[in-house]
Amino acid sequence: MSKLASKVKEREEDFVFLDELFDRLFPICRSITGPGFRESLRILQETIPFEVMSFESGSQVFDWTVPEEWWISSGSLIGPDQKVYADFEQSNISVLNFSEAVDKEMSLEDLQAHLYSIPEHPDAIPYVTSYYKRRWGFCLPHRVRENLPQGKYKVKIVAEHKKGHLNCGHAFLPGKTKKEILLSSYLCHPSLANNELSGPLVLAWLYKQLAQKEDRYFSYRFVINPETIGSLCYLSRFGEQLKLSLETGMVLTCLGGPEETLSYKASRREDSRLDRMIRAFSNDEVLKMRCREFTPLSGSDERQYCSPGFNLPVGHMSRTLYAEYDGYHNSLDTKEFMNIETVLDSAEKIYRILNCYEKMGLYENTSPYGELCLGKRGLYPSTNSHDTWKQSSDKKLDDRKFLNTVLAILNYSDGKHDSVWIAEQMKWSPRELEPAIAVLQEHQVLKRITETCE
Amino acid sequence: MSKLASKVKEREEDFVFLDELFDRLFPICRSITGPGFRESLRILQETIPFEVMSFESGSQVFDWTVPEEWWISSGSLIGPDQKVYADFEQSNISVLNFSEAVDKEMSLEDLQAHLYSIPEHPDAIPYVTSYYKRRWGFCLPHRVRENLPQGKYKVKIVAEHKKGHLNCGHAFLPGKTKKEILLSSYLCHPSLANNELSGPLVLAWLYKQLAQKEDRYFSYRFVINPETIGSLCYLSRFGEQLKLSLETGMVLTCLGGPEETLSYKASRREDSRLDRMIRAFSNDEVLKMRCREFTPLSGSDERQYCSPGFNLPVGHMSRTLYAEYDGYHNSLDTKEFMNIETVLDSAEKIYRILNCYEKMGLYENTSPYGELCLGKRGLYPSTNSHDTWKQSSDKKLDDRKFLNTVLAILNYSDGKHDSVWIAEQMKWSPRELEPAIAVLQEHQVLKRITETCE
Amino acid sequence: MSKLASKVKEREEDFVFLDELFDRLFPICRSITGPGFRESLRILQETIPFEVMSFESGSQVFDWTVPEEWWISSGSLIGPDQKVYADFEQSNISVLNFSEAVDKEMSLEDLQAHLYSIPEHPDAIPYVTSYYKRRWGFCLPHRVRENLPQGKYKVKIVAEHKKGHLNCGHAFLPGKTKKEILLSSYLCHPSLANNELSGPLVLAWLYKQLAQKEDRYFSYRFVINPETIGSLCYLSRFGEQLKLSLETGMVLTCLGGPEETLSYKASRREDSRLDRMIRAFSNDEVLKMRCREFTPLSGSDERQYCSPGFNLPVGHMSRTLYAEYDGYHNSLDTKEFMNIETVLDSAEKIYRILNCYEKMGLYENTSPYGELCLGKRGLYPSTNSHDTWKQSSDKKLDDRKFLNTVLAILNYSDGKHDSVWIAEQMKWSPRELEPAIAVLQEHQVLKRITETCE
């Protein structure tokens, strides 16, 4: 099989892998606690060997209290005409997520306070949660809601909150250094595609790729948890350790929408090496992406990682962002909207980003006095004539850009300017520096400086 | 009486207060020393309990010598036709300020060297001073000067320079902290409105307001002196102390002209908290103003406060600026040009600025690990549904902007970024942060850090 | 003779001096080593008393090896038609510079690999070198090359590489301080005008001027060497010393082309005082010039001075830059293209720059508390009337700009902001500060702070 054919085949397998994983995970009714979350985690464990940890209901986590587990078995809203207007079996977001039990008859008027719909998207069932205040409720299309007949409704939700645990998972891939790259996603939303499953899908694919990669420079930490309360639990146990071991990280979510490029929100530091590298991709045709400044006003788990007590260099990688598409937090967020092909494309791009990041760092020119004699290493043309330059059999010498990267790296690698700085300074994509870094390391004139964690 | 009516009444009283104060001060012939300055100071003392200090004539103040006192009783220029072309009784700026005595007859030709007029404003009497070189002279409209008949003129000025004192005044309003806000103005110009009395008028109104304010955070230092030499005298006695105690400050002058907004010249540091706060008012509809960079080339007493040996964080607050209006330093600078209503408006705006400044500072989120659980404090909606959000009876929850200020303050208040920085970062008016700061302090999750003076 | 006439005469003499020096140096066949370089150096020594140093062939210099000396006596390419297609006697760049000896007959086909020409400039003979790989070759116009007849060619180059030395020269002019300004140029190109002789010509003129200057503040170090390997040799001996003694410096080259202004490439530090001063000349009508950022990708000897191990504050001063004119590195780079008049203009401008630089530095206002009483020193008008101002017999008082420079220098000279910073801050040409600096030093209120080398 040719290399190209093998590549195509591999990609097909990747697609099938993601597609099947999606189909198994989508129907499960997840929440921040309970059996749905655990079942989903078990399925992911087939790919990522997550070690699972538990946090007891009622225990204190920083300023928060771990909620009880939510066990739901059914829920239905039946009209005076015996029609079923909302049914948990049909759509698990029909019942307010984390809803308490209810079993009674009531007038439409009394029912209204327990109904949720979206006037702007009259055919969509909204995804509504009430984790920290006990409520019961049904979510239904606004068009349905508006046409509900007067009369008595039977409302029945069979659900229970019980003492138990909130769960998180993490897995590791060791690298040459102990410094870690955190890849974190969440798994608490029920049947939603872009704003739920795209994250864990990318995480699974990345784990597979990185596990196969032979020469990982950094160690990798994969984390999965229920959003917000889950990352708080995780940080309560590993936050201090992460302050020491973390090189960089990103929260992965909303990675399957139609947006053309990825979209990166910088860490609270705004100038982590990853933040700077991604901005420098403005000079990269393939990895050029939307760059967002850090904001504490909205986001996902990076809001916890970037809280002032931790201030970890963790960004947020997405594509079509929450609140920027019609299907956000409602039943329009489907596999069709999301697109497995795009999820794979996002995953591949993030893998490229990580591969580039592995090469970025602080380097030192070991012969800093004067320019290096590149000619004797075959890295510089032996005459000043353009002819020689062009006639050289060595492809590298034919490539003025390669020579330029060599010159820039040697001049600026003084142990103070990292390779991302050099790319920024020269207005190049960071990826363009990789060949020269490799060649100069081979010639033992460039040394990577192991930076200790701050 | 309704609150609004009471407000209107209060404002009327304020207007009358300023109007009457103006009318009493305007006619007095002031200079940098002498009885006019002292009389004006006594009138101001009825409102501000200035402690008055004296600096002896001839004493050395830094690079300067304190001048003698100037006592003038009359001055007139009588033409060959017996017409009175300049009369101190009619306008005290008709005589060169600080003029020495003279009593003789002379030709028009010889007289010319002692006459001052402004060709560009032929109807205005210029305000001319000669403090550090003994001269005599008359100031008159250029139109009059051009039509002076040939012949002998009688020139008579009854004035005396005598040993005595230069006077300054200061008054204090203590606050919770000993750090002081300096409000400084001058009182050495004779019958000029915008470029003299507007400053002391605003100072008097501010003293009255701040004296009534119950919870002053900062202490206030009110200073009044003759411009330049007066602030030099004041600094010679209190400069070193101000280096330790000064939080911020501003020189108040030219606050009654027709310019629509206030105009602030930054301190020499360019980044004092006040400098930054006022720049951030570019996001404030009411307090948006003209921002000028610091310059050592022109200005008022901030040139002394900001001299390199002191480098105090003192700016300069004005409205229609000297040299930017026809009446600058001449008889067109009248109560009509200046407008008491505008003086009051300036004073009220400065009071708002000070009130906002009192809230600005370095705060610390006392629960910096993870986001705060705002929900349990009633500061976050209990479902993620827009309906709940909008239906909340709590006005604050209805206000996404309020929640945003809460989130930004909690995230950025790490003891390194002050509240002005947060406003700048978020592109908000500093005033928009005040409600959230207050609420978070009530909930004891935000602590003001007492900064020691540098 | 009037001052103007004497000035004109002096300039004529300068022109003749440069013109004659050019004519003597141009015909010599120079290279990085050998008799041509040494002969040229001897001629320059008539003006600049260079101390000559030698580096033995084969010795190691940082990452490089000093090449042998190149001795060439003749070279010719004779066609099957007995026509001489390239002749060292006619043009010393006809033979590949540093060429090895050859003496044989060969077909046109075999010859081609040894020929160099420029298709884009078919009438120009290219200047080609092969220092670090032994080759032989001829350079000829592309039009000639294309019309070479088939048949046997006689190629003969009488040249030798022999053990000997590479030479550099330096000369000194001491100043009030030991801190040095480096003026460096190269002398290794054969018969080329702009990109060779313009540099040494300017160096020679500057030496003459600076030697006559009575009150040199800085010491001057003049360096001449073969490009790249020469500056590496020089740095191997003096680099560590220069780290301590160097105030600033520039490499001088390509100073005679038709470009209207000078063109300055900043040092690697990007913010040396010279870098900043030259940028601030954007406010100077005469010295305004093209400012280029530092780049390690191309340039002259500043690439060695600015290598990371040295990182000396050395920029690069030129006019019509290499690679930006048709004659770059070929026979079109003649005296006619270059123009002696322009070389003189460049030299004069650089002299002005150096004179301005001598005045730039860190100054301290010795009376920093309050503004200085300028009036008692005759530096401030004694009334506030515009008339007085304008009528003043003192020209300085008539000049508001002069007073402004006085005020700015006094306010900002706090030992932290140098005079270039003040010029930048005020958007003035650095040269505009000179009169005020001189006057304030005379009045002993401004003190130059001797900065120790870092």
Side-chain angles (χ1 to χ4, degrees):
Chain A
M1 190 159 52
S2 77
K3 206 175 158 191
L4 180 68
S6 131
K7 199 86 193 162
V8 168
K9 180 150 179 279
E10 198 184 302
R11 219 175 178 276
E12 261 167 40
E13 286 168 3
D14 285 349
F15 181 88
V16 171
F17 162 72
L18 293 174
D19 196 59
E20 289 179 358
L21 187 54
F22 182 91
D23 289 346
R24 289 170 69 196
L25 289 168
F26 190 75
I28 302 168
C29 177
R30 284 169 291 274
S31 186
I32 52 174
T33 55
F37 184 90
R38 273 194 291 270
E39 190 190 337
S40 304
L41 192 49
R42 263 192 304 274
I43 293 171
L44 276 182
Q45 277 176 307
E46 295 168 20
T47 307
I48 311 176
F50 283 123
E51 181 191 331
V52 177
M53 63 211 75
S54 301
F55 298 83
E56 213 172 329
S57 307
S59 59
Q60 198 65 19
V61 171
F62 301 126
D63 193 47
W64 301 64
T65 306
V66 175
E68 292 183 317
E69 291 192 8
W70 185 50
W71 293 68
I72 181 165
S73 44
S74 69
S76 60
L77 170 66
I78 300 173
D81 51 1
Q82 302 313 311
K83 271 182 72 175
V84 181
Y85 287 101
D87 184 1
F88 180 74
E89 288 302 309
Q90 292 300 313
S91 164
N92 60 35
I93 65 173
S94 293
V95 174
L96 173 79
N97 198 290
F98 229 70
S99 184
E100 59 187 355
V102 69
D103 185 4
K104 57 175 160 182
E105 293 204 2
M106 61 202 309
S107 69
L108 177 58
E109 199 181 351
D110 291 346
L111 180 63
Q112 287 292 3
H114 297 273
L115 298 184
Y116 300 90
S117 62
I118 318 168
E120 297 81 3
H121 300 297
D123 295 317
I125 304 169
Y127 161 55
V128 183
T129 66
S130 184
Y131 301 137
Y132 300 99
K133 183 176 174 188
R134 285 290 150 83
R135 273 196 180 82
W136 65 264
F138 290 95
C139 305
L140 67 178
H142 197 67
R143 208 182 300 283
V144 173
R145 186 183 188 177
E146 284 188 308
N147 294 312
L148 289 177
Q150 290 298 329
K152 283 281 178 208
Y153 283 76
K154 282 186 210 149
V155 295
K156 182 163 187 186
I157 296 172
V158 182
E160 213 179 337
H161 290 92
K162 42 185 174 184
K163 293 263 176 215
H165 295 88
L166 176 149
N167 300 111
C168 301
H170 67 181
F172 294 88
L173 286 172
K176 281 187 193 160
T177 79
K178 290 189 173 175
K179 295 186 82 183
E180 296 177 331
I181 295 182
L182 170 72
L183 299 171
S184 174
S185 195
Y186 54 82
L187 193 61
C188 53
H189 294 49
S191 299
L192 297 166
N194 185 44
N195 185 13
E196 177 45 77
L197 291 175
S198 69
L201 258 58
V202 167
L203 206 64
W205 188 90
L206 285 173
Y207 186 90
K208 280 176 52 173
Q209 294 297 316
L210 286 162
Q212 285 164 35
K213 186 175 154 90
E214 272 161 30
D215 58 343
R216 290 184 299 266
Y217 184 78
F218 293 108
S219 298
Y220 287 83
R221 178 185 288 249
F222 294 78
V223 170
I224 193 94
N225 52 41
E227 206 177 4
T228 304
I229 183 69
S231 52
L232 287 163
C233 287
Y234 191 80
L235 281 168
S236 74
R237 206 164 285 175
F238 298 101
E240 290 304 320
Q241 184 181 324
L242 285 173
K243 280 185 182 180
L244 297 173
S245 66
L246 203 68
E247 162 68 22
T248 201
M250 46 178 127
V251 170
L252 303 175
T253 177
C254 294
L255 284 156
E259 211 62 37
E260 203 174 331
T261 68
L262 292 176
S263 167
Y264 178 76
K265 170 185 168 180
S267 77
R268 182 176 181 273
R269 301 179 179 200
E270 296 273 11
D271 68 345
S272 80
R273 184 169 291 151
L274 183 62
D275 297 339
R276 293 183 294 116
M277 183 181 88
I278 285 179
R279 270 183 226 117
F281 281 141
S282 60
N283 299 304
D284 190 300
E285 296 227 343
V286 177
L287 296 183
K288 198 174 184 167
M289 69 184 80
R290 176 176 169 197
C291 291
R292 292 173 286 137
E293 285 181 22
F294 176 77
T295 171
L297 305 190
S298 64
S300 178
D301 289 320
E302 82 282 1
R303 288 164 60 171
Q304 311 313 322
Y305 296 124
C306 296
S307 58
F310 294 114
N311 196 25
L312 297 170
V314 175
H316 173 274
M317 186 64 82
S318 64
R319 193 157 186 150
T320 300
L321 213 58
Y322 29 65
E324 298 188 359
Y325 63 102
D326 288 351
Y328 172 59
H329 271 189
N330 66 53
S331 58
L332 304 179
D333 189 353
T334 61
K335 188 183 180 184
E336 288 65 40
F337 168 77
M338 184 195 81
N339 196 316
I340 296 291
E341 193 64 49
T342 308
V343 171
L344 182 52
D345 179 77
S346 295
E348 286 168 342
K349 280 186 175 141
I350 294 168
Y351 186 58
R352 284 187 186 202
I353 292 167
L354 293 172
N355 278 334
C356 180
Y357 191 86
E358 293 236 316
K359 303 299 184 195
M360 294 297 111
L362 212 47
Y363 292 90
E364 201 167 41
N365 173 348
T366 60
S367 298
Y369 297 98
E371 287 188 313
L372 215 63
C373 185
L374 293 171
K376 73 182 186 192
R377 294 176 178 85
L379 296 172
Y380 204 85
S382 58
T383 82
N384 68 340
S385 156
H386 260 262
D387 297 353
T388 327
W389 195 276
K390 285 178 191 156
Q391 287 155 18
S392 166
S393 59
D394 187 340
K395 216 183 121 280
K396 283 214 181 76
L397 280 187
D398 192 20
D399 182 358
R400 176 72 211 192
K401 181 62 169 272
F402 173 76
L403 177 57
N404 283 349
T405 57
V406 164
L407 290 170
I409 290 165
L410 287 172
N411 187 286
Y412 287 127
S413 291
D414 53 6
K416 286 178 207 144
H417 304 100
D418 73 358
S419 48
V420 173
W421 185 93
I422 298 172
E424 289 169 332
Q425 173 74 5
M426 305 305 295
K427 299 188 176 60
W428 294 332
S429 166
R431 293 204 296 162
E432 291 178 294
L433 298 183
E434 290 183 41
I437 290 173
V439 164
L440 293 171
Q441 282 185 307
E442 272 166 40
H443 281 96
Q444 297 186 296
V445 293
L446 193 70
K447 211 176 75 187
R448 187 166 194 155
I449 297 175
T450 307
E451 299 148 76
T452 51
C453 313
E454 59 174 278
Chain B
M1 191 160 52
S2 78
K3 206 174 158 190
L4 180 66
S6 130
K7 199 88 192 161
V8 168
K9 179 147 180 281
E10 199 185 300
R11 218 175 178 277
E12 261 166 41
E13 287 168 3
D14 285 348
F15 181 89
V16 170
F17 163 72
L18 292 175
D19 196 59
E20 290 179 356
L21 187 53
F22 181 91
D23 290 345
R24 289 172 67 197
L25 288 168
F26 191 75
I28 300 169
C29 178
R30 282 169 291 273
S31 185
I32 51 175
T33 54
F37 184 89
R38 273 194 292 268
E39 188 190 337
S40 303
L41 191 49
R42 262 191 306 273
I43 293 171
L44 276 182
Q45 277 176 306
E46 294 168 19
T47 307
I48 312 176
F50 285 122
E51 181 191 331
V52 176
M53 65 211 72
S54 300
F55 298 85
E56 214 173 329
S57 306
S59 59
Q60 199 64 21
V61 171
F62 303 128
D63 193 45
W64 301 64
T65 305
V66 175
E68 291 182 317
E69 292 192 7
W70 184 52
W71 292 69
I72 181 165
S73 46
S74 69
S76 60
L77 170 65
I78 300 172
D81 51 0
Q82 301 312 313
K83 271 183 72 176
V84 180
Y85 288 101
D87 185 1
F88 180 74
E89 288 303 307
Q90 293 300 312
S91 164
N92 59 36
I93 65 174
S94 294
V95 173
L96 173 80
N97 198 289
F98 229 69
S99 184
E100 58 188 355
V102 68
D103 185 3
K104 56 176 161 180
E105 293 204 359
M106 61 202 308
S107 69
L108 177 57
E109 200 180 352
D110 292 346
L111 181 63
Q112 287 293 1
H114 297 274
L115 299 185
Y116 301 91
S117 62
I118 317 168
E120 297 81 3
H121 301 298
D123 296 318
I125 304 170
Y127 161 55
V128 183
T129 67
S130 183
Y131 300 136
Y132 300 100
K133 184 176 174 187
R134 287 289 150 85
R135 271 197 183 84
W136 64 263
F138 290 95
C139 305
L140 68 177
H142 197 67
R143 209 183 299 281
V144 173
R145 185 183 188 176
E146 285 188 306
N147 294 310
L148 288 178
Q150 291 298 329
K152 284 281 175 206
Y153 282 77
K154 280 184 211 150
V155 294
K156 181 165 187 184
I157 297 171
V158 181
E160 211 180 339
H161 289 93
K162 42 185 173 183
K163 293 262 174 213
H165 295 87
L166 177 151
N167 300 110
C168 300
H170 67 181
F172 295 89
L173 287 172
K176 283 188 192 159
T177 78
K178 291 190 173 175
K179 295 186 82 184
E180 296 176 330
I181 295 181
L182 169 71
L183 299 171
S184 174
S185 194
Y186 53 82
L187 191 60
C188 53
H189 294 50
S191 298
L192 297 165
N194 185 44
N195 185 13
E196 177 45 78
L197 291 175
S198 69
L201 258 58
V202 167
L203 204 65
W205 187 91
L206 286 172
Y207 186 90
K208 281 177 53 174
Q209 294 297 315
L210 285 161
Q212 284 165 35
K213 188 175 154 89
E214 272 162 29
D215 56 344
R216 290 184 300 265
Y217 185 77
F218 292 108
S219 298
Y220 288 83
R221 177 186 290 248
F222 294 78
V223 171
I224 192 95
N225 52 41
E227 207 177 4
T228 304
I229 184 68
S231 52
L232 287 163
C233 288
Y234 191 80
L235 282 167
S236 74
R237 205 165 285 174
F238 298 102
E240 290 304 319
Q241 184 181 324
L242 285 173
K243 279 185 180 178
L244 297 173
S245 68
L246 202 71
E247 162 68 22
T248 201
M250 45 178 127
V251 170
L252 304 174
T253 176
C254 294
L255 284 156
E259 211 61 39
E260 204 174 330
T261 69
L262 292 176
S263 167
Y264 178 75
K265 171 185 170 181
S267 77
R268 182 176 181 271
R269 302 180 177 198
E270 296 272 12
D271 68 345
S272 80
R273 183 169 292 150
L274 182 62
D275 296 339
R276 294 184 294 114
M277 183 181 90
I278 285 179
R279 271 182 225 115
F281 281 140
S282 59
N283 299 303
D284 190 301
E285 297 227 342
V286 176
L287 296 183
K288 197 176 187 169
M289 69 185 81
R290 177 176 169 197
C291 292
R292 292 172 287 138
E293 286 181 22
F294 176 76
T295 171
L297 305 190
S298 63
S300 177
D301 288 320
E302 80 283 2
R303 288 164 61 172
Q304 312 313 323
Y305 295 126
C306 297
S307 57
F310 294 113
N311 196 25
L312 297 170
V314 174
H316 173 274
M317 186 64 83
S318 64
R319 194 156 186 152
T320 299
L321 214 56
Y322 28 64
E324 298 188 0
Y325 63 103
D326 288 350
Y328 172 59
H329 271 188
N330 67 55
S331 58
L332 303 178
D333 190 352
T334 61
K335 189 182 180 185
E336 288 64 42
F337 168 77
M338 184 195 79
N339 196 316
I340 296 291
E341 192 65 48
T342 308
V343 171
L344 182 52
D345 180 77
S346 295
E348 286 167 342
K349 281 185 174 142
I350 295 169
Y351 187 58
R352 284 187 187 203
I353 292 166
L354 293 172
N355 278 334
C356 180
Y357 191 87
E358 293 237 316
K359 303 299 183 194
M360 294 296 110
L362 211 48
Y363 291 90
E364 201 167 42
N365 173 348
T366 59
S367 299
Y369 298 98
E371 287 187 313
L372 214 65
C373 186
L374 294 171
K376 73 182 185 192
R377 294 177 177 83
L379 296 172
Y380 205 86
S382 58
T383 81
N384 67 341
S385 157
H386 260 262
D387 296 355
T388 327
W389 195 277
K390 285 179 191 155
Q391 287 156 17
S392 166
S393 59
D394 187 340
K395 216 185 122 277
K396 283 216 181 73
L397 280 185
D398 192 21
D399 182 359
R400 176 73 211 190
K401 181 63 169 272
F402 174 76
L403 177 56
N404 283 348
T405 56
V406 164
L407 290 170
I409 290 166
L410 287 172
N411 187 287
Y412 287 127
S413 291
D414 54 5
K416 286 177 206 141
H417 304 99
D418 72 358
S419 48
V420 173
W421 184 93
I422 298 171
E424 288 168 332
Q425 173 75 4
M426 304 305 294
K427 298 187 175 61
W428 293 333
S429 165
R431 292 203 298 163
E432 291 178 295
L433 298 183
E434 289 183 40
I437 289 173
V439 165
L440 293 171
Q441 282 186 307
E442 272 166 39
H443 282 95
Q444 296 185 299
V445 292
L446 194 69
K447 211 176 74 188
R448 187 167 194 157
I449 297 175
T450 307
E451 300 148 75
T452 51
C453 312
E454 59 174 275
Chain C
M1 191 158 55
S2 78
K3 208 175 157 189
L4 180 68
S6 131
K7 199 87 192 162
V8 167
K9 180 149 181 277
E10 199 184 301
R11 220 174 177 276
E12 260 166 41
E13 286 167 3
D14 285 348
F15 181 89
V16 170
F17 162 72
L18 293 175
D19 195 60
E20 289 179 357
L21 187 54
F22 182 91
D23 290 346
R24 289 171 68 195
L25 289 168
F26 190 74
I28 301 168
C29 178
R30 284 168 291 273
S31 185
I32 53 175
T33 55
F37 184 89
R38 272 194 292 269
E39 191 190 336
S40 304
L41 191 49
R42 261 191 307 272
I43 293 171
L44 276 183
Q45 276 176 304
E46 294 168 19
T47 308
I48 312 176
F50 283 124
E51 181 190 331
V52 177
M53 64 210 75
S54 301
F55 297 84
E56 214 172 329
S57 306
S59 59
Q60 199 65 21
V61 171
F62 302 128
D63 194 46
W64 300 64
T65 306
V66 176
E68 293 182 316
E69 291 192 8
W70 184 52
W71 293 68
I72 180 164
S73 45
S74 68
S76 61
L77 170 67
I78 300 174
D81 51 0
Q82 299 313 311
K83 270 183 72 176
V84 181
Y85 287 101
D87 184 1
F88 179 74
E89 289 302 309
Q90 293 298 313
S91 164
N92 60 35
I93 66 173
S94 293
V95 173
L96 173 79
N97 197 290
F98 229 71
S99 183
E100 58 188 355
V102 66
D103 183 4
K104 56 176 159 181
E105 293 203 358
M106 61 200 310
S107 70
L108 178 58
E109 200 182 352
D110 290 347
L111 180 63
Q112 287 293 1
H114 297 273
L115 298 184
Y116 300 90
S117 62
I118 318 167
E120 297 82 2
H121 300 298
D123 296 317
I125 304 169
Y127 161 55
V128 183
T129 67
S130 184
Y131 301 136
Y132 299 99
K133 185 175 173 188
R134 287 289 150 84
R135 272 197 181 82
W136 64 264
F138 290 95
C139 305
L140 68 179
H142 197 66
R143 207 182 301 281
V144 172
R145 184 183 188 173
E146 283 187 308
N147 293 311
L148 288 177
Q150 290 298 328
K152 283 281 178 210
Y153 283 75
K154 280 185 209 149
V155 294
K156 181 164 186 185
I157 296 171
V158 181
E160 212 180 337
H161 290 93
K162 42 186 175 186
K163 294 262 176 216
H165 296 88
L166 178 149
N167 300 110
C168 300
H170 67 180
F172 294 88
L173 286 172
K176 281 188 194 159
T177 80
K178 291 190 173 176
K179 296 187 81 184
E180 294 176 332
I181 295 182
L182 170 71
L183 298 171
S184 175
S185 194
Y186 54 81
L187 193 60
C188 53
H189 294 50
S191 299
L192 297 166
N194 185 43
N195 185 12
E196 178 44 78
L197 291 176
S198 70
L201 258 56
V202 167
L203 205 63
W205 188 90
L206 285 172
Y207 186 88
K208 280 176 53 174
Q209 294 297 314
L210 285 161
Q212 284 165 35
K213 188 177 153 87
E214 272 162 29
D215 57 342
R216 292 184 299 266
Y217 185 77
F218 293 108
S219 299
Y220 287 83
R221 177 185 290 249
F222 294 78
V223 171
I224 192 94
N225 52 40
E227 207 177 4
T228 304
I229 183 67
S231 52
L232 287 163
C233 288
Y234 191 80
L235 282 166
S236 74
R237 206 164 285 174
F238 299 101
E240 291 305 319
Q241 184 181 325
L242 285 173
K243 280 185 181 180
L244 298 173
S245 66
L246 203 69
E247 162 69 22
T248 200
M250 44 178 128
V251 169
L252 303 175
T253 177
C254 294
L255 284 156
E259 211 62 38
E260 204 175 330
T261 68
L262 293 176
S263 166
Y264 178 76
K265 171 184 170 182
S267 77
R268 181 176 182 270
R269 302 178 177 199
E270 297 272 12
D271 68 345
S272 80
R273 184 169 293 151
L274 183 61
D275 297 340
R276 294 184 293 114
M277 183 181 89
I278 285 179
R279 271 183 225 116
F281 281 140
S282 60
N283 299 304
D284 190 301
E285 295 226 344
V286 176
L287 296 183
K288 198 175 186 169
M289 69 184 81
R290 176 176 170 197
C291 291
R292 293 172 286 138
E293 286 181 22
F294 176 77
T295 171
L297 304 189
S298 65
S300 178
D301 288 320
E302 81 282 2
R303 287 164 61 171
Q304 312 313 322
Y305 296 123
C306 296
S307 58
F310 293 112
N311 196 27
L312 298 170
V314 175
H316 173 276
M317 186 63 83
S318 64
R319 193 156 186 151
T320 299
L321 215 57
Y322 28 66
E324 298 188 359
Y325 62 101
D326 288 351
Y328 173 59
H329 271 190
N330 67 53
S331 58
L332 303 179
D333 189 352
T334 60
K335 188 182 179 184
E336 287 64 42
F337 168 77
M338 183 196 80
N339 197 317
I340 296 291
E341 193 65 48
T342 308
V343 171
L344 181 53
D345 179 76
S346 296
E348 286 168 341
K349 281 184 175 142
I350 294 168
Y351 186 58
R352 284 187 186 202
I353 293 166
L354 293 172
N355 278 334
C356 181
Y357 190 86
E358 293 236 318
K359 303 299 183 194
M360 294 295 111
L362 211 47
Y363 291 90
E364 203 167 39
N365 173 347
T366 58
S367 298
Y369 297 98
E371 287 187 313
L372 214 63
C373 184
L374 293 171
K376 73 182 184 192
R377 294 177 178 84
L379 297 171
Y380 205 86
S382 58
T383 82
N384 68 340
S385 157
H386 261 261
D387 297 353
T388 326
W389 195 277
K390 285 178 192 156
Q391 288 157 17
S392 166
S393 58
D394 187 340
K395 216 184 120 279
K396 282 216 180 75
L397 280 186
D398 191 22
D399 181 359
R400 177 72 209 191
K401 181 62 169 274
F402 173 75
L403 177 57
N404 283 349
T405 56
V406 165
L407 290 170
I409 290 166
L410 287 172
N411 188 287
Y412 287 128
S413 291
D414 54 5
K416 286 178 204 140
H417 304 99
D418 73 358
S419 48
V420 172
W421 185 94
I422 297 171
E424 288 168 331
Q425 173 75 6
M426 304 305 294
K427 299 187 175 60
W428 293 332
S429 165
R431 292 202 297 162
E432 292 179 294
L433 298 183
E434 290 183 41
I437 290 173
V439 165
L440 292 170
Q441 282 186 307
E442 271 165 41
H443 282 95
Q444 296 185 299
V445 293
L446 193 70
K447 209 177 75 188
R448 187 166 194 156
I449 297 174
T450 307
E451 300 149 76
T452 52
C453 313
E454 59 174 279

